[in-house]
Amino acid sequence: MKSLLTFVLPLVSPLAAKNWNEVLDRLDETASSIDNIHRNHENVLAILVVNKEACLRPLPACFEILRVDLPPPQMSVYRGDCDERERSEAVKWDKGYKVAYGMIHGKRQGSKFLMGVDADDLLSNEIPNIIQQDCAANGWYINMGWLLPLGSRWGVALPDFHNWCGTHAIVRSDLLPLGDSVDSMDPAIIKGIYGHHRELIPYLSEAGNELKPINFNAVVYRVNHSEGNYMRRGLMESVLSPKKLFRDPKNFLIWLSRLRYFGRKTERTFIGD
């Protein structure tokens, strides 16, 4: 069956992870979120792209697993462990290769839209509805979403979510710069368009294929866990740090105004019952 939407998830190499079981725990939760969508929308599928040596747990039936023979990054993928420029380039290549590989496969399988998804995020079950209302659209960028520490009920509603998270855009597959194989593609495209979240939206805009804002909290970006390569901390250690109140009170109050309770009703839209 040709899918309306295929999520493409790149997974870190087990040789690069700090804690592989933690990687799989976060993946389990992301997979459950996607399965929650698939139960009501059978034409929404997922592709997980992993290194050939990765040992995985069982995944929902809506997932297809693709394995790549890709050497792991030669330095730590976690911010703060090594030179940031070198780390960033290594992460962009590893992630970009896997996302492009999965999207080429998804496009070949006939998926109308494709979306890169970080394997620790949660997705709203409302996403397919907006696509079904406008299947001719170029796609959508995720301008609104949650910044939520793992295990917390308090998060921040981000008005510029696409600037924060890799799970940031739904794009019609024929508009993406994809080759017949990843190895035939320009490495700059692999790293820039597929390995990072700042270049795809401007690239499409410059080509005359602007994306629409999605205008609801469509994704949860989970932070404050050991396997987030940006190593973002909890709210009190970052955007709502008491130090920020004294250093820049106006900015602190802006962030405080975005604080929201992530209650059970909201949670159900991302992970179901």
Side-chain angles (χ1 to χ4, degrees), residues 9 24-36 59-60 63 117-123 167 220 222 270-271:
L9 290 72
L24 295 181
D25 287 345
R26 303 288 77 76
L27 174 61
D28 285 345
E29 293 153 359
T30 301
S32 293
S33 179
I34 291 172
D35 191 47
N36 177 51
L59 288 166
F63 271 78
V117 174
D118 289 342
D120 56 355
D121 294 338
L122 305 176
L123 298 144
T167 309
V220 175
R222 293 189 301 166
F270 291 97
I271 61 173

Side-chain angles (χ1 to χ4, degrees), residues 234-269:
L235 301 183
M236 293 295 289
E237 292 79 43
S238 56
V239 297
L240 292 177
S241 167
K243 293 180 181 178
K244 190 183 285 285
L245 173 60
F246 297 102
R247 188 173 63 244
D248 191 346
K250 182 178 180 181
N251 184 260
F252 179 89
L253 291 174
I254 289 172
W255 280 106
L256 187 62
S257 71
R258 297 170 179 169
L259 189 65
R260 302 286 188 276
Y261 183 68
F262 190 77
R264 186 70 188 102
K265 182 178 179 181
T266 302
E267 186 180 55
R268 274 196 293 268
T269 68

Side-chain angles (χ1 to χ4, degrees), residues 4-6 111-114 131 135 137-140 170-172:
L4 173 70
L5 170 65
T6 299
S111 185
K112 178 78 171 179
F113 291 90
L114 295 166
I131 299 175
C135 287
N138 296 331
W140 295 262
I170 304 161
V171 183
R172 215 173 68 214

Side-chain angles (χ1 to χ4, degrees), residues 3-268:
S3 61
L4 173 70
L5 170 65
T6 299
F7 300 117
V8 177
L9 290 72
L11 201 64
V12 64
S13 166
L15 300 177
K18 287 184 175 180
N19 184 330
W20 185 243
N21 281 327
E22 174 93 1
V23 171
L24 295 181
D25 287 345
R26 303 288 77 76
L27 174 61
D28 285 345
E29 293 153 359
T30 301
S32 293
S33 179
I34 291 172
D35 191 47
N36 177 51
I37 296 172
H38 175 76
R39 284 196 294 271
N40 292 313
H41 302 275
E42 291 187 354
N43 58 354
V44 175
L45 303 174
I47 294 170
L48 178 70
V49 185
V50 301
N51 294 77
K52 64 177 183 179
E53 66 273 11
C55 293
L56 300 173
R57 298 171 186 166
L59 288 166
C62 59
F63 271 78
E64 181 178 2
I65 299 169
L66 302 181
R67 294 185 179 270
V68 293
D69 187 7
L70 187 66
Q74 296 304 299
M75 69 284 295
S76 173
V77 298
Y78 302 97
R79 175 175 278 182
D81 284 355
C82 60
D83 178 80
E84 178 57 20
R85 187 190 65 80
E86 292 181 0
R87 183 203 71 86
S88 178
E89 287 298 300
V91 169
K92 287 178 184 179
W93 175 253
D94 187 77
K95 179 179 181 178
Y97 189 101
K98 290 169 181 172
V99 170
Y101 190 93
M103 287 190 170
I104 288 170
H105 182 78
K107 181 180 179 181
R108 192 174 291 137
Q109 295 290 94
S111 185
K112 178 78 171 179
F113 291 90
L114 295 166
M115 182 180 192
V117 174
D118 289 342
D120 56 355
D121 294 338
L122 305 176
L123 298 144
S124 169
N125 60 14
E126 295 293 326
I127 289 174
N129 296 334
I130 196 168
I131 299 175
Q132 289 171 337
Q133 292 166 13
D134 190 4
C135 287
N138 296 331
W140 295 262
Y141 67 93
I142 312 302
N143 58 311
M144 298 172 61
W146 286 85
L147 180 70
L148 184 71
L150 185 68
S152 176
R153 283 291 184 186
W154 288 95
V156 166
L158 294 172
D160 60 340
F161 186 88
H162 55 290
N163 289 326
W164 286 75
C165 182
T167 309
H168 70 295
I170 304 161
V171 183
R172 215 173 68 214
S173 59
D174 62 302
L175 301 180
L176 288 164
L178 294 166
D180 293 330
S181 70
V182 185
D183 295 326
S184 69
M185 292 173 58
D186 181 348
I189 292 288
I190 294 170
K191 290 191 290 184
I193 301 297
Y194 301 105
H196 198 247
H197 57 274
R198 292 293 180 95
E199 296 190 27
L200 174 61
I201 297 169
Y203 170 88
L204 291 169
S205 180
E206 288 171 12
N209 298 316
E210 290 198 10
L211 304 182
K212 301 177 181 181
I214 205 161
N215 288 335
F216 66 91
N217 289 321
V219 179
V220 175
Y221 174 19
R222 293 189 301 166
V223 297
N224 202 29
H225 63 85
S226 71
E227 294 307 313
N229 60 50
Y230 276 96
M231 301 305 293
R232 295 197 191 278
R233 307 295 299 277
L235 301 183
M236 293 295 289
E237 292 79 43
S238 56
V239 297
L240 292 177
S241 167
K243 293 180 181 178
K244 190 183 285 285
L245 173 60
F246 297 102
R247 188 173 63 244
D248 191 346
K250 182 178 180 181
N251 184 260
F252 179 89
L253 291 174
I254 289 172
W255 280 106
L256 187 62
S257 71
R258 297 170 179 169
L259 189 65
R260 302 286 188 276
Y261 183 68
F262 190 77
R264 186 70 188 102
K265 182 178 179 181
T266 302
E267 186 180 55
R268 274 196 293 268

